[in-house]
Amino acid sequence: MISIKNLHASIEGKEILRGINLEIKAGEVHAIMGPNGSGKSTLSSVLAGRQDYEVTDGEVIFNGKNLLEMEAEDRAREGLFLAFQYPVEIPGVSNINFLKTALNEIRNYHGKEDIAAKDFLALVKEKQKLVELDGKLANRSVNEGFSGGEKKRNEIFQMAMLEPKLAILDETDSGLDIDALKIVANGVNTLKNKDNAYIVITHYQRLLDYIVPDFVHILYKGKIVKSGGKELALELEEKGYDEIKKQFELSE
Amino acid sequence: MIAEKTNTAQLIIDKITSSANKINFINDNVISKALIFIEKNGFPTHKNEDYKYCNIDSILKKEFKTIEQKFGEVNNLKEYKLPDALTLVVVNGKYSQSLSDKIILKGIHINSLSNLDDNGKTKITKIANVESDALIAFNTLFANEGFHLKITKNETLQFPIQIIYVNNSTSECIVNPRNIIELEENSEATIIEHYINIGNSKCFTNFVSEKYLANNSKLDCYTIQDENTNGYGVYTNQIEVSKNANYTNTTITLSGQLVRNNHNVVLANSNCEANLNGLFKINGNQIVDNHTLVDHQFPYCQSNELYKGIIDGKSTGVFNGKIFVRKDAQKTNAYQSSKNILLSDDATINTKPQLEIYADDVKCSHGTSTGKIEDDAMFYLHARGIGKESAKKLLLNAFAGEVIEKIQVESLKELIQTKLNLL
């Protein structure tokens, strides 16, 4: 699905990612954990194509294509989805119009015609149920005046609508109460299948009780310093990041 | 020091006097005053604070060197007419009875200015003071035969009235359209003033309208400016709002090389309301300069202003909003907001709120913001597969939407959305 090799990226001359290597296959869920400032969000931004970051080295191959050479919109059209840590409010653009435009641009990219209005509405109805999103929210401006939980559920709703191949959930659990967390996790688990993959970026182990990862990677100072199975997350929860930090400092 | 004086005004007066018709609807005395005023002051230059960004003198001098006042005919305006509206047509500044709809509806009186009744005679030039502004003086001196439109007492019009001002200039021209729009007590109307240019030469429109809203009347008024690259113009609206009356204007500037709007509203009694909205989208070397004045003279009045600009290329936008709150105008609520998006590094916006408040028990505020399209919003849209053009359209449409939503006439709203090309 995606192959990240020796990825280096910096912002304003400061190197944040210092050689990331990661291989993800279809059907897998990878969790990336790490303390604040370790580069988790930078990794997701770089993959999604945010302009602020400069990739200084390495390559990313996404389904056989060079991801880093693509514009952000083309990455999305190729099936990459970033669920934002801080979804952006866009006053005046209705959620529905936004999603319809997105869906159609992706369809057009793949040589398909615009979706029929009737089919679109049916799809909206079906996917809204998945994240228990109030129908009224669909007609409101994108994320405007949404609560923290509503914003995150809206991200998952969009994901459900666009059906990406690889979804990156960037701290989707932050700011969520346990009920909202369950709804979000349930949405992801329902959408999960053998043909798609997930990168779940999180600071805490809590989300991983509900979205069970196949692999857990620990990111520290811009590198993956440890990888393992789901038990690594539990170990981390128990010992905290200090142990990792200590080990890493020693090895450096 | 000898004041620098330009003779642009005198040269233009000399050029157009021979082709001008004798004006029989304005008092000779007032015409003399207008002439004296303009001879003394000339056209405004950038040294005049109110015309700082809109140097009328130099634009006329540079762009109108060979004024010949040659006009073409206008026959068919079908494509410009809004469905479900009554149409009045003004051709090259002059009210055209033959192109206008034959209005026999109760409640609407329309007269050309040469047939002005006694009431009309007291109204013309009453609130468009020839000594307040050189463009008003110039219009008064050469006023084309416009019309006096009156909505009679207690009538609520069921259809909007669309007034099409069409210029067909076949040489460089100056037109001076003039009208009076009067709403009698307790009447209601929707009026769309729509300016277009179908000529192949430059035309300068120097428009003056006096609008009177009697007690308890309501006017929902639209100014649609679409005079293309040959269009230059100053559009002066003098409004007098009486007790419990409600005036709303939404000015949409779609095209025009130079567009200067002077929108002056006097809230001349208590409990009245004025809402002024504006939207312009400009590019190239266009200049759009919106000057508004809301003069709160009496207590318990409200005014709201919202002006938005989308400014691209090397174009210049201006918003200058004056609000006066006179000593007696207690309990005034006056709000003003100007928001702008700059789409290029060479685009300019000048905004200037001017609040002069002499009463102590009032609520007044103003706000202005200027920015680019937000990178975060753009990235969010891109991250969902939406390309650059569509993303820009979505965001600009959202920005403009706040003003477009205020348009109460559906067919007009659609026209504006299509013309702005934001859908």
Side-chain angles (χ1 to χ4, degrees):
Chain A
M1 176 75 69
I2 194 166
S3 162
I4 303 172
K5 282 188 185 133
N6 191 33
L7 183 63
H8 287 251
S10 54
I11 185 165
E12 288 164 5
K14 195 178 170 221
E15 192 169 48
I16 311 283
L17 300 184
R18 305 190 300 148
I20 304 268
N21 293 291
L22 193 61
E23 197 76 37
I24 296 173
K25 295 192 178 69
E28 293 177 352
V29 176
H30 289 242
I32 295 181
M33 303 183 72
N36 291 328
S38 57
K40 301 192 298 289
S41 286
T42 300
L43 178 61
S44 61
S45 291
V46 167
L47 293 179
R50 194 187 274 274
Q51 299 278 320
D52 311 350
Y53 298 92
E54 195 195 346
V55 174
T56 50
D57 203 2
E59 67 164 15
V60 181
I61 303 298
F62 179 53
N63 289 324
K65 290 183 182 164
N66 185 339
L67 187 79
L68 299 176
E69 276 181 2
M70 285 183 225
E71 298 285 348
E73 57 270 33
D74 286 338
R75 299 182 192 196
R77 292 163 180 170
E78 287 287 343
L80 185 91
F81 182 93
L82 170 64
F84 282 57
Q85 183 179 2
Y86 304 107
V88 181
E89 296 192 9
I90 310 181
V93 177
S94 81
N95 234 348
I96 281 293
N97 191 18
F98 161 65
L99 267 174
K100 200 173 179 183
T101 309
L103 193 62
N104 284 333
E105 295 229 349
I106 293 170
R107 288 173 68 98
N108 297 161
Y109 180 81
H110 293 286
K112 290 188 210 161
E113 284 179 9
D114 284 1
I115 188 169
K118 204 181 87 206
D119 297 342
F120 177 73
L121 289 176
L123 194 65
V124 166
K125 238 181 180 169
E126 179 200 331
K127 304 294 185 183
Q128 264 173 348
K129 270 188 209 147
L130 194 68
V131 286
E132 298 174 30
L133 199 67
D134 190 336
K136 282 180 205 144
L137 290 182
N139 292 314
R140 296 230 312 254
S141 291
V142 176
N143 292 322
E144 192 186 34
F146 285 29
S147 71
E150 283 167 346
K151 281 182 185 167
K152 295 297 173 78
R153 274 189 278 161
N154 196 25
E155 293 293 288
I156 305 303
F157 167 56
Q158 292 172 28
M159 185 175 86
M161 288 291 294
L162 302 180
E163 296 182 331
K165 291 177 187 137
L166 173 67
I168 305 166
L169 311 183
D170 188 3
E171 305 215 13
T172 299
D173 51 336
S174 70
L176 285 190
D177 62 31
I178 192 72
D179 293 331
L181 189 74
K182 279 184 189 163
I183 293 169
V184 164
N186 181 46
V188 172
N189 289 328
T190 311
L191 295 167
K192 208 174 95 177
N193 61 44
K194 64 176 180 21
D195 298 319
N196 59 26
Y198 289 85
I199 298 177
V200 181
I201 292 175
T202 179
H203 189 80
Y204 302 105
Q205 192 267 337
R206 191 177 67 154
L207 178 66
L208 305 180
D209 286 342
Y210 301 97
I211 304 173
V212 180
D214 302 301
F215 300 95
V216 174
H217 311 279
I218 296 169
L219 192 65
Y220 183 60
K221 289 195 173 171
K223 281 182 179 172
I224 290 174
V225 295
K226 199 169 183 180
S227 295
K230 63 183 176 199
E231 65 288 345
L232 182 58
L234 293 167
E235 188 188 322
L236 203 59
E237 184 76 359
E238 218 170 275
K239 295 182 183 163
Y241 285 110
D242 284 348
E243 191 70 20
I244 294 290
K245 286 181 190 173
K246 243 185 259 167
Q247 280 177 23
F248 182 73
E249 303 294 344
L250 281 176
S251 72
E252 281 244 305
Chain B
M1 201 176 102
I2 300 164
E4 194 185 324
K5 195 168 181 258
T6 94
N7 59 353
T8 315
Q10 195 58 57
L11 288 174
I12 287 177
I13 288 173
D14 292 347
K15 269 186 203 162
I16 68 174
T17 299
S18 62
S19 63
N21 288 324
K22 170 103 181 79
I23 297 170
N24 64 359
F25 45 87
I26 298 176
N27 188 309
D28 285 343
N29 215 354
V30 179
I31 293 181
S32 304
K33 270 192 199 171
L35 182 60
I36 293 167
F37 185 83
I38 199 157
E39 281 187 337
K40 191 176 158 207
N41 296 288
F43 288 124
T45 70
H46 63 284
K47 289 182 183 165
N48 181 322
E49 187 61 27
D50 279 336
Y51 286 86
K52 196 171 166 186
Y53 303 105
C54 182
N55 190 334
I56 300 294
D57 188 279
S58 112
I59 289 163
L60 280 168
K61 196 154 109 187
K62 250 172 52 194
E63 306 292 339
F64 289 84
K65 285 186 184 127
T66 53
I67 299 167
E68 287 178 31
Q69 299 294 81
K70 285 186 193 151
F71 297 100
E73 281 184 25
V74 173
N75 298 310
N76 192 351
L77 290 168
K78 226 177 190 170
E79 60 174 305
Y80 300 100
K81 289 189 183 188
L82 291 170
D84 304 327
L86 299 166
T87 317
L88 300 182
V89 180
V90 174
V91 177
N92 303 320
K94 193 171 181 293
Y95 169 55
S96 164
Q97 241 166 325
S98 60
L99 288 176
S100 299
D101 286 347
K102 308 285 167 286
I103 298 176
I104 44 164
L105 275 182
K106 188 171 152 265
I108 303 177
H109 277 221
I110 175 130
N111 255 336
S112 69
L113 286 180
S114 58
N115 297 322
L116 212 53
D117 58 14
D118 288 344
N119 158 52
K121 282 178 186 153
T122 66
K123 295 273 187 312
I124 195 154
T125 75
K126 185 188 150 203
I127 52 174
N129 180 354
V130 294
E131 291 173 324
S132 65
D133 181 285
L135 280 312
I136 293 180
F138 187 73
N139 177 289
T140 307
L141 206 51
F142 293 105
N144 297 126
E145 194 184 336
F147 60 85
H148 174 202
L149 169 66
K150 188 163 72 181
I151 313 302
T152 55
K153 204 170 165 178
N154 301 328
E155 294 292 338
T156 295
L157 296 191
Q158 301 302 318
F159 303 99
I161 298 176
Q162 181 192 18
I163 305 164
I164 301 178
Y165 298 87
V166 52
N167 292 331
N168 185 3
S169 46
T170 55
S171 72
E172 285 175 15
C173 291
I174 298 184
V175 294
N176 286 283
R178 179 98 191 195
N179 71 43
I180 306 171
I181 293 176
E182 190 184 352
L183 272 81
E184 290 193 331
E185 278 185 28
N186 206 26
S187 66
E188 274 186 39
T190 298
I191 292 175
I192 299 152
E193 295 191 275
H194 191 166
Y195 304 84
I196 55 173
N197 186 343
I198 59 170
N200 53 20
S201 294
K202 291 177 203 168
C203 189
F204 192 98
T205 302
N206 180 36
F207 173 81
V208 174
S209 173
E210 291 169 272
K211 297 186 168 77
Y212 295 88
L213 281 76
N215 294 351
N216 299 307
S217 65
K218 188 173 178 220
L219 175 59
D220 190 14
C221 181
Y222 300 89
T223 303
I224 311 301
Q225 299 169 317
D226 196 6
E227 295 201 38
N228 72 44
T229 46
N230 281 325
Y232 294 73
V234 178
Y235 307 80
T236 302
N237 276 283
Q238 303 291 112
I239 327 286
E240 185 181 89
V241 186
S242 300
K243 199 166 189 167
N244 298 324
N246 185 313
Y247 174 73
T248 300
N249 173 271
T250 303
T251 295
I252 313 275
T253 308
L254 298 166
S255 69
Q257 193 54 39
L258 165 77
V259 176
R260 164 64 181 243
N261 290 306
N262 291 321
H263 220 98
N264 301 318
V265 183
V266 177
L267 301 178
N269 210 319
S270 56
N271 282 307
C272 45
E273 185 177 326
N275 302 296
L276 307 182
N277 310 304
L279 174 66
F280 58 94
K281 181 168 172 261
I282 51 177
N283 206 334
N285 291 310
Q286 282 179 278
I287 301 175
V288 172
D289 182 343
N290 284 303
H291 266 62
T292 64
L293 165 65
V294 182
D295 187 354
H296 284 260
Q297 300 187 340
F298 285 82
Y300 299 103
C301 293
Q302 266 215 50
S303 66
N304 294 291
E305 288 180 75
L306 174 66
Y307 273 79
K308 296 189 121 180
I310 300 171
I311 305 146
D312 202 349
K314 293 181 175 175
S315 61
T316 304
V318 181
F319 174 73
N320 188 110
K322 275 186 204 164
I323 296 175
F324 291 151
V325 182
R326 310 274 176 180
K327 210 172 115 220
D328 294 333
Q330 299 294 2
K331 306 286 180 190
T332 287
N333 284 328
Y335 304 104
Q336 185 186 85
S337 167
S338 154
K339 298 179 190 171
N340 304 284
I341 288 189
L342 297 174
L343 293 180
S344 93
D345 291 340
D346 296 321
T348 315
I349 177 76
N350 301 286
T351 61
K352 185 172 164 193
Q354 268 180 286
L355 275 60
E356 289 185 28
I357 301 167
Y358 302 100
D360 48 20
D361 186 9
V362 303
K363 281 184 196 152
C364 294
S365 74
H366 66 87
T368 170
S369 69
T370 297
K372 297 181 170 186
I373 290 183
E374 278 182 47
D375 288 345
D376 280 353
M378 270 304 237
F379 178 62
Y380 193 71
L381 297 174
H382 293 334
R384 297 296 175 257
I386 299 173
K388 293 189 175 50
E389 275 308 304
S390 312
K392 192 168 146 188
K393 267 190 186 180
L394 267 179
L395 294 175
L396 291 181
N397 193 32
F399 176 80
E402 202 183 350
V403 175
I404 292 171
E405 274 165 24
K406 295 185 188 283
I407 300 176
Q408 304 292 318
V409 182
E410 269 321 302
S411 57
L412 179 63
K413 194 190 264 184
E414 279 170 31
L415 175 83
I416 299 302
Q417 282 171 325
T418 312
K419 286 270 184 180
L420 285 172
N421 188 26
L422 291 176
L423 286 184

